Amino acid sequence: MERGMTADQVLKALWRRKVLVGAIVLAVFAVGAAIVLSQPSVYEATAVVRVQPQRPGEEMVQRTVSELVEQRLLTVRQELMARPVLQKAIEEMNLYPDIVSEDGMEAAVNRMRKDLTVRVEGESAFELTYASRDPQVAQQVANRLPQIFSDQALKSRQEQAARATQLFQDELVSLSKTVTDWEKKIAQFKVDHIGELPEQLEMNMRGLERVGALMQTKSEELRVAEARRSELARARNAADSEAGRLEAAEHSLAQALVGARSSWTADHPEVKRLNQELSTMRERRKDAESRQWAERQERARVADLSGAIQKDIEGLHQQARGYQERLDRTPKWAHELGVLQRDYEIARTKYQSVVSRRVEAEIAQELEVKSAESLFNVVSPAGVPVTPARPDRMSGLLIAFLLALGTGVLTGVVLEMRDDSIRDTQELRERLPLPVLAVVPNMQGKGEKRVLMPATGARNGVVTPSSSDSPLN
């Protein structure tokens, strides 16, 4: 029968069963102590890593890696706990060989996640703690993991920078082809419309002015040639009449000479005179004929010159018409060429911008490589731990003792509560519906005084025993 117990009753019950309670306490404590002492010692090594800001590099050149290295602290725990980092550490340092051989790499990675603790300290540092049964291994892993994380982070940043550079390079190739195509189109357009382009407008106007001036000059030369031609035409008739007259006179003198020779000798004065006059007339005739031939040559030359001038004037008229047609078509080609050059300038501007960005990306990629060693600094490297971090054997023994003590007390209380023996008048009064008439003292030994004591208080004729009397068994 279960019932409630006071503190005094609990103490009395434990005292009555002190041997059993003590044995239970000792047994449970021995088991707990054995468990605590049998636990292997686990050592923890801690390394502190500081992230160096990259502000100077950003002032020198625009970086292609948009993520600041300080922002990696927000995800440093996830990145350190990621499989690539832990697997590399396991493979390099041959960690958890039994787990790897029996359960595979994934189980070893999960076990290492349990042994690894990462805490962010402030805004630019994090603390890494690794637990192991071997203090040397704990120290080596705690120092190696930041290096692996740094290598992975830097490799990721360098790959991102390389991808950006390659992206600009690919875009540059595409834009270069586009710019080349536009240049070919503009060049072909200029070839197709050469002489009619806007940049040739002034040249065409000057050409038209020059042709106009030449036309005026040629017109004046034609006027002079035509006047000379008219003058030669008027002189031709006079020259022809003089030559004919001299020829007739020469013929008359020749006949007269023949008649004189028939009458006189060669030494006759008349014959000599006629010979002299005939010679003179013949010279004059020849001179007149030569002047006539020269005048004919001059007339032919003037006629040819006049024809050439007229041809030149006609050619100048054609040139003037050509220049005027070019000037008339120039506004049309200027509009089309402007559209082509506008698109070309847009493509060229993009090309130059991408060239500049590619150069910056290449410089940024070089800076990523050169600044790799200074991004992550181990402020406090992990040392070899001297004392184990766990288990805490003193606390474990204390807990084992408390558990043993609690188990002994609980056992004594449970046994007491399940014990139906009556040990005092209070229990007797509570458990029996009969009045208590007297209390028989506990007589254990010959020295005990056997006295039947009356009840000190009565209620309805019930006699209650004193506190020194033993209950009725």
Side-chain angles (χ1 to χ4, degrees), residues 130-176:
Y130 181 73
S132 175
R133 297 180 183 179
D134 188 344
Q136 296 290 338
V137 173
Q139 183 257 350
Q140 293 173 4
V141 174
N143 287 329
R144 179 57 183 154
L145 277 177
Q147 297 177 2
I148 296 176
F149 167 73
S150 175
D151 294 341
Q152 293 285 346
L154 296 176
K155 181 179 179 182
S156 175
R157 292 178 64 86
Q158 291 172 7
E159 289 178 352
Q160 187 175 352
R163 286 195 300 270
T165 303
Q166 187 62 38
L167 177 63
F168 286 127
Q169 180 63 32
D170 296 341
E171 186 66 18
L172 189 62
V173 172
S174 175
L175 288 176
S176 177

Side-chain angles (χ1 to χ4, degrees), residues 165-229:
T165 303
Q166 187 62 38
L167 177 63
F168 286 127
Q169 180 63 32
D170 296 341
E171 186 66 18
L172 189 62
V173 172
S174 175
L175 288 176
S176 177
K177 184 178 181 302
T178 302
V179 170
T180 302
D181 291 342
W182 280 115
E183 289 176 347
K184 290 180 179 179
K185 288 181 181 179
I186 293 175
Q188 186 62 41
F189 182 87
K190 289 183 177 181
V191 170
D192 295 339
H193 305 287
I194 189 169
E196 303 174 358
L197 302 174
E199 58 267 24
Q200 298 172 329
L201 177 63
E202 184 177 357
M203 182 190 68
N204 290 331
M205 293 180 67
R206 290 181 179 179
L208 185 61
E209 293 176 357
R210 179 177 54 81
V211 170
L214 289 175
M215 288 178 64
Q216 291 180 357
T217 302
K218 291 296 181 180
S219 297
E220 183 63 22
E221 291 178 358
L222 181 62
R223 186 187 65 77
V224 173
E226 289 296 332
R228 176 63 177 166
R229 186 177 182 183

Side-chain angles (χ1 to χ4, degrees), residues 24-98:
I24 293 174
V25 170
L26 290 176
V28 174
F29 178 73
V31 173
I35 294 174
V36 171
L37 295 176
S38 64
Q39 292 295 319
S41 297
V42 177
Y43 297 87
E44 291 184 351
T46 301
V48 179
V49 181
R50 183 175 182 271
V51 178
Q52 182 68 29
Q54 296 177 289
R55 300 293 184 268
E58 292 179 356
E59 294 174 359
M60 290 185 291
V61 64
Q62 181 67 35
R63 291 186 177 271
T64 53
V65 182
S66 59
E67 180 189 18
L68 295 177
V69 69
E70 302 95 295
Q71 293 178 350
R72 301 191 76 92
L73 289 177
L74 301 177
T75 58
V76 64
R77 185 178 184 278
Q78 289 75 12
E79 293 186 15
L80 275 171
M81 296 290 186
R83 174 164 181 164
V85 177
L86 300 184
Q87 181 173 345
K88 186 174 182 180
I90 292 172
E91 292 174 350
E92 283 186 3
M93 309 181 72
N94 193 25
L95 303 176
Y96 313 105
D98 297 337

